[in-house]
Amino acid sequence: MVGDNSFVVVANRLPVDLVYGQWVPSPGGLVAALEPVLQAHHGCWVGWPGVVDAAMEPFHDRNVLLHPVPLDQQDYEQFYEGFSNATLWPLFHDLIVPPVYDQSWWETYRSVNEKFATEVAAVAADNATVWVQDYQLLLVPGLLREMRPDLTIGFFLHIPFPSPDLFRQLPWRAELIAGLHGADLVGFQRSRDEENFRAIVDADITTGTFPISIDPSTFGPVEQEIVAKLREQLGSPHTVLLGVDRLDYTKGILQRLTALEELYDEGQVHDVTFIQIATPSRERIDHYQQTRSAVEEAVGRINGRFGEIGRPVVHYYHRQMQKAQLRNYYAAADIMLVTPFKDGMNLVAKEYVACHPEGNGALVLSEFAGAAVELHKAHLCNPFDTESIKSAILDAISAQGSEAARTTMQELNQQVNDFTVARWAETFLNELNATRSRAGKENA
């Protein structure tokens, strides 16, 4: 028996969070982009509700059917914390920390992917379109193809795909590639990721590059009174730097703090305040704990050396922050620091740009972030080179208020407004349907 949902999104998480016993919409561009498609096509979203051992029935939210996939404590520890985030995540991010290859984690990863595929097979209508999201579910397309050959299946990888030599380290590489062979279309953020994948697969799998974006309408102008008040609370510094990241070792937070410390130590900057918003992330994993300790030690050291009573150099927030409040910080910041060692895209860079339609502000951006392909006129830097980060910060500071800086920022803003998350979703789904149609004609 099949379901009656003609469009199904399957992701590790449902697009809602349980807050004080109530389900509230999760912030995120993916939800905003796909919600209209889901509503128009009697759609369903399949995912884990974020609560271990939760026995839940499917429920509707904003006219979309949410279908929970239950995970127990072992699933969470071995599938999510283990294979997804201590094996695949570091491997796909160029071994910034060593991946752990554990057979029991792999077996649980495979088992959980089977759970997801089984749930999708049960809710999808005849000839439905299914869009599988990200590295936690690499096996789902292949499993689903075996269960439901009638389905049109797309897969999108939100993180980088590693070079062939790195990927070949993975003991279960053949199984993962076989899983992706079940998709009619496999999408990537950057052409380089697609090329890495193409180098290790047969020619009969269809791929494409589809850089994800944001909904810029949700990051419009902020009232100047709010911006002025926020800067006053910071002590009215000459320059406000901002970082917004998950507290993840790939994000380069410690390196930008080190760069700022050296700039102060060398006397190259004065009256510069840095706000670092570091969202808690995977806090039970050792490398994440080590990253947090190193970052917080650096914050304390910098403030101890260069701050004043009541006026620290670094304002550090280790907590979640609502989008409305985050917009205020984006608008108030003169310079945004986005310095990951490796990133599939990094939507924070685009969110900051969207908050500066008048052309004020500047973006210091890692050349290894996917966003650097589109936002290549930003102040690009090498996050592995402290001198490069320092130089980019100094260039951005010295260019403040110039016509050239304003023109550059306006061009970046136009790029973000032209290529939205809705356009991303539409482009991928159109290509998916075209791929399936071509395959149908060839098999007719």
Side-chain angles (χ1 to χ4, degrees), residues 175-220:
E175 290 92 332
L176 292 188
I177 294 302
L180 291 177
H181 263 283
D184 294 289
L185 175 65
V186 178
F188 299 90
Q189 300 275 27
R190 305 175 307 164
S191 59
R192 184 173 302 169
D193 299 318
E194 182 182 2
E195 291 164 3
N196 286 344
F197 181 74
R198 299 286 326 172
I200 59 170
V201 299
D202 298 332
D204 63 345
I205 185 167
T206 303
T207 60
T209 296
F210 308 89
I212 196 171
S213 193
I214 64 169
D215 178 3
S217 67
T218 63
F219 292 93

Side-chain angles (χ1 to χ4, degrees), residues 72-91:
D72 61 25
Q73 188 63 35
Q74 178 176 302
D75 291 335
Y76 178 76
E77 292 176 359
Q78 297 192 352
F79 156 74
Y80 181 72
E81 291 186 329
F83 196 81
S84 293
N85 291 312
T87 301
L88 293 179
W89 181 267
L91 177 65

Side-chain angles (χ1 to χ4, degrees), residues 157-367:
L157 184 67
H158 292 260
I159 67 174
F161 193 88
S163 69
D165 285 344
L166 292 185
F167 184 76
R168 290 190 181 103
Q169 292 187 15
L170 187 67
W172 309 279
R173 64 195 189 191
E175 290 92 332
L176 292 188
I177 294 302
L180 291 177
H181 263 283
D184 294 289
L185 175 65
V186 178
F188 299 90
Q189 300 275 27
R190 305 175 307 164
S191 59
R192 184 173 302 169
D193 299 318
E194 182 182 2
E195 291 164 3
N196 286 344
F197 181 74
R198 299 286 326 172
I200 59 170
V201 299
D202 298 332
D204 63 345
I205 185 167
T206 303
T207 60
T209 296
F210 308 89
I212 196 171
S213 193
I214 64 169
D215 178 3
S217 67
T218 63
F219 292 93
V222 175
E223 294 181 14
Q224 289 305 307
E225 293 81 2
I226 295 176
V227 172
K229 183 177 181 180
L230 180 53
R231 292 182 69 100
E232 184 179 344
Q233 291 172 342
L234 295 170
S236 300
H238 177 268
T239 303
V240 175
L241 310 180
L242 176 65
V244 177
D245 312 83
R246 284 187 308 104
L247 191 50
D248 186 299
Y249 55 79
T250 66
K251 300 301 183 180
I253 300 173
L254 181 61
Q255 285 63 35
R256 74 183 67 138
L257 286 166
T258 301
L260 179 63
E261 182 175 18
E262 290 187 9
L263 288 172
Y264 260 102
D265 197 33
E266 296 162 0
Q268 296 198 70
V269 296
H270 306 276
D271 200 18
V272 173
T273 294
F274 178 37
I275 305 169
Q276 176 62 59
I277 299 168
T279 304
S281 177
R282 303 165 189 165
E283 295 204 298
R284 302 195 331 161
I285 299 176
D286 288 345
H287 288 294
Y288 289 79
Q289 295 172 357
Q290 294 165 12
T291 297
R292 178 179 177 180
S293 296
V295 165
E296 293 179 352
E297 178 184 340
V299 170
R301 185 179 65 248
I302 293 168
N303 285 333
R305 294 185 65 196
F306 305 109
E308 299 176 6
I309 299 298
R311 194 172 178 181
V313 171
V314 182
H315 296 259
Y316 173 74
Y317 299 85
H318 182 240
R319 68 192 76 160
Q320 296 280 355
M321 187 170 288
Q322 296 299 315
K323 183 183 290 187
Q325 187 178 5
L326 195 55
R327 285 174 60 241
N328 296 338
Y329 283 97
Y330 283 145
D334 298 298
I335 301 169
M336 186 82 201
L337 304 183
V338 181
T339 58
F341 294 124
K342 188 86 169 182
D343 227 332
M345 177 53 62
N346 196 295
L347 295 180
V348 162
K350 294 187 175 184
E351 290 173 355
Y352 175 78
V353 168
C355 287
H356 293 267
E358 302 303 318
N360 58 325
L363 175 63
V364 171
L365 180 61
S366 164
E367 62 187 87

